[in-house]
């Protein structure tokens, strides 16, 4: 008989026949994904409750969360709460032989539940009040299960906004009100609004209508400053929700004023003016780096500046300020001796915007403030004023008005005194002309 094989230190014990119990969390994670089963289980909790018993519904949902897998089926949960059922890609309901919808849903309503259509002219305050009560239910559930907030803002809201074309105008309005309330109160971010720039929603003004309702509802919870920050962070430009044929500042202005939201039009106008001024400043500064202002250069610059002014309703004072400061940025005040010669060749760009006396006074103020800020240019102020006067960019009356009462506070005493000689000369000539 052979001797038994000795057990060495490297031999591992066999677990044959031993049953290993799988951890509960692992079992849940590997379980089959069955949103229809989740839907049916959730509806079994909601169907017996009258749809307007909001406190009872909130309590029932919170209780259901202890047995149903809200985290795993968060998308299905919010779809049921928003639209009454679960959705398939494209926004259509999942039809598996069961057409029953949740009696409690954001886009639902008393009349819709009873099977009658809701009038499109329903009072918006009543609609918002109804939606507010339903969103309060949703908020209570999110506050109890805080892990639901992330899928709501990252998955559910962006997807729902892509599907709004599937619903009636009234249903879209309700979703807009709910989204506005959730975002205004910090339960979601405005990232979902970017979905409104998709072509299939933009072309028939669906995005524009939705955003208008959203803004109106949002302003009932937050002020215009808060809304402006949201719009800046959510859109590259809100004009992208307008159909292609209406993407103009004038069309946007007319739309929001007609909708009773002039503050939105005013905010957008100011913001666009700032952006246009920044872009024009960059263009002019880069263009002024040329060594010489040839006739071709001047013509090109005038065309560009004039176009920007007309399209964006830029005040002449802004055009003068941008043009002058861009010109001055190209000079080295410490080392160039031909600077005044170059300035004169730039005057044709300024001339169309300094025809009226007030424009000429404004030009003097711009030069004054520039020289005050740029200490190296302070001593050149009287020379700059003289060449502007000699080139008829500053008239006698404009100079006299600026000297007497139009100078800016910045360095006023110094600058007024520095052009005393020219002022005396101009006033003497004026007196002589009156005597003659």
């Amino acid at each position: 008989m052979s001797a038994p094989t000795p057990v060495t230190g490297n031999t591992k014990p066999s677990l044959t026949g031993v049953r290993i119990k799988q951890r509960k969390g692992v079992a849940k994670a590997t379980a089959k994904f069955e949103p229809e089963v989740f839907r049916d289980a959730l509806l079994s909790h909601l169907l017996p409750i009258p749809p307007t018993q909001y406190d009872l519904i909130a309590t029932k949902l919170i209780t259901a969360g202890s047995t149903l897998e809200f985290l795993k089926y968060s998308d299905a949960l919010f779809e049921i709460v928003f639209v009454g059922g679960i959705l398939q890609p494209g926004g259509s309901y999942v039809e598996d032989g069961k057409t029953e919808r949740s009696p409690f849903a954001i886009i639902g309503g008393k009349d819709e539940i009873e099977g009658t259509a809701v009038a499109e002219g329903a009072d918006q305050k009543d609609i918002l009040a109804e939606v507010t009560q339903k969103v309060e239910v949703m908020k209570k559930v999110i506050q109890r299960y805080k892990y639901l907030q992330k899928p709501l803002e990252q998955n559910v809201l962006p997807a729902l906004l892509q599907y709004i074309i599937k619903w009636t105008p009234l249903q879209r309005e309700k979703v807009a009100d709910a989204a506005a309330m959730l975002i205004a109160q910090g339960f979601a971010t405005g990232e979902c609004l970017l979905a409104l720039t998709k072509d299939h929603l933009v072309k028939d003004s669906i995005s524009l209508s939705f955003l208008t309702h959203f803004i109106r509802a949002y302003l009932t919870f937050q002020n215009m400053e808060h809304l402006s920050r949201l719009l800046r962070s959510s859109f590259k430009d809100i004009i992208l929700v307008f159909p292609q044929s209406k993407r103009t500042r004038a069309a946007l202005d007319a739309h929001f004023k007609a909708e009773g939201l002039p503050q939105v039009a005013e905010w957008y106008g100011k913001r666009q003016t700032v952006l246009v001024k920044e872009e024009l400043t960059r263009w002019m500064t880069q263009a002024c780096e040329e060594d010489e202002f040839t006739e071709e250069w001047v013509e090109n610059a005038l065309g560009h500046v004039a176009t920007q002014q007309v399209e964006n309703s830029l005040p002449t004072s802004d055009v003068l300020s941008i043009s002058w400061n861009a010109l001055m940025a190209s000079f080295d005040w410490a080392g160039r001796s031909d600077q005044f010669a170059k300035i004169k060749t730039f005057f044709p760009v300024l001339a169309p915007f300094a025809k009226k006396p007030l424009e000429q006074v404004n030009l003097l103020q711009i030069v004054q403030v520039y020289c005050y800020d740029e200490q190296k240019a302070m001593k050149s102020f009287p020379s700059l004023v003289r060449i502007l006067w000699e080139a008829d960019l500053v008239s006698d009356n404009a100079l006299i008005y600026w000297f007497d009462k139009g100078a800016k506070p910045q360095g006023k005493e110094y600058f007024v005194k520095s052009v005393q000689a020219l002022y005396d000369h101009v006033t003497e000539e004026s007196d002589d002309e009156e005597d003659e």
Side-chain angles (χ1 to χ4, degrees), residues 118-131 170 173-174 177:
V118 177
E120 296 298 334
D123 187 272
Q124 291 186 349
K125 290 183 179 179
D126 293 340
I127 295 172
L128 181 59
E130 175 194 323
V131 172
L170 179 60
E173 181 179 338
K174 290 182 176 182
D177 290 344

Side-chain angles (χ1 to χ4, degrees), residues 150-169:
K150 187 173 182 180
L152 170 67
E153 64 182 14
Q154 293 186 352
N155 303 330
V156 179
L157 284 176
L160 287 175
L161 263 62
Q162 293 184 59
Y163 304 152
I164 57 177
I165 196 172
K166 297 284 186 179
W167 305 319
T168 67

Side-chain angles (χ1 to χ4, degrees), residues 178-402:
M181 184 175 178
L182 288 168
I183 295 172
Q185 298 182 356
F187 285 84
T189 64
E191 293 179 9
C192 61
L193 297 176
L194 193 59
L196 297 176
T197 60
K198 293 186 177 296
D199 291 341
H200 71 288
L201 301 177
V202 169
K203 63 179 182 179
D204 294 323
S205 296
I206 292 175
S207 290
L208 179 58
S209 176
F210 184 94
L211 182 63
T212 303
H213 285 299
F214 174 92
I215 289 174
R216 185 177 288 112
Y218 195 93
L219 289 174
T220 65
F221 302 104
Q222 295 288 356
N223 57 29
M224 186 60 215
E225 183 179 355
H226 199 280
L227 174 64
S228 67
R229 290 197 297 268
L230 174 72
L231 295 177
R232 284 198 305 269
S233 63
S234 302
F235 296 100
K236 181 179 178 181
D237 190 339
I238 64 168
I239 207 166
L240 295 176
V241 304
F242 282 71
Q244 285 282 356
S245 60
K246 297 181 180 179
R247 289 183 182 176
T248 64
R249 187 165 167 178
L252 184 146
D253 188 78
H255 170 78
F256 284 111
K257 286 182 177 178
E259 290 290 335
L261 296 168
Q263 64 271 47
V264 179
E266 182 181 353
W267 162 78
Y268 184 80
K270 289 180 179 179
R271 181 171 183 263
Q272 287 304 109
T273 298
V274 171
L275 294 176
V276 169
K277 285 168 64 175
E278 290 175 352
E279 178 58 33
L280 184 57
T281 297
R282 283 192 294 271
W283 188 91
M284 284 295 295
T285 302
Q286 184 177 359
C288 286
E289 292 176 356
E290 300 286 339
D291 289 335
E292 293 182 5
F293 301 130
T294 62
E295 289 185 7
E296 182 180 357
W297 184 96
V298 169
E299 184 177 351
N300 181 42
L302 273 175
H304 183 79
V305 173
T307 300
Q308 292 299 314
Q309 183 188 25
V310 172
E311 290 183 354
N312 299 285
S313 303
L314 280 179
T316 302
S317 58
D318 287 341
V319 176
L320 282 172
S321 178
I322 290 169
S323 301
W324 178 264
N325 288 313
L327 170 66
M328 293 296 103
S330 68
F331 284 96
D332 179 6
W333 287 97
R336 297 197 54 163
S337 58
D338 60 338
Q339 53 194 355
F340 292 115
K342 185 175 182 179
I343 291 175
K344 291 178 181 179
T345 62
F346 186 79
F347 283 173
V349 178
L350 299 176
F353 310 102
K355 292 181 177 180
K356 300 177 182 178
L358 275 179
E359 295 170 348
Q360 295 173 357
V361 172
N362 184 237
L363 177 58
L364 285 171
Q365 293 171 338
I366 291 168
V367 176
Q368 175 194 344
V369 173
Y370 170 79
C371 290
Y372 178 81
D373 293 335
E374 186 64 48
Q375 294 294 310
K376 294 178 181 178
M378 285 190 71
K379 294 182 178 179
S380 300
F381 178 75
S383 299
L384 292 171
V385 174
R386 177 171 284 277
I387 61 174
L388 288 170
W389 174 73
E390 291 174 346
D392 292 330
L393 288 177
V394 172
S395 66
D396 292 354
N397 289 335
L399 178 62
I400 293 170
Y401 181 88
W402 174 87

Side-chain angles (χ1 to χ4, degrees), residues 423-436:
Y423 172 80
D424 292 341
H425 174 71
V426 168
T427 51
E428 287 174 5
E429 285 189 345
S430 299
D431 291 341
D432 292 342
E433 290 175 359
E434 288 180 3
D435 291 342
E436 292 177 1

Side-chain angles (χ1 to χ4, degrees), residues 77-122:
L77 169 65
F78 284 119
E79 286 173 358
I80 292 169
V81 171
F82 266 96
V83 299
I86 55 177
L87 304 175
Q88 56 188 340
S92 300
Y93 287 101
V94 173
E95 300 292 353
D96 55 353
K98 297 183 179 181
T99 58
E100 195 166 25
R101 302 276 184 261
S102 171
F104 171 81
I106 296 295
I107 69 170
K110 181 179 178 182
D111 294 334
E112 291 172 312
I113 293 165
E114 293 174 353
T116 58
V118 177
E120 296 298 334

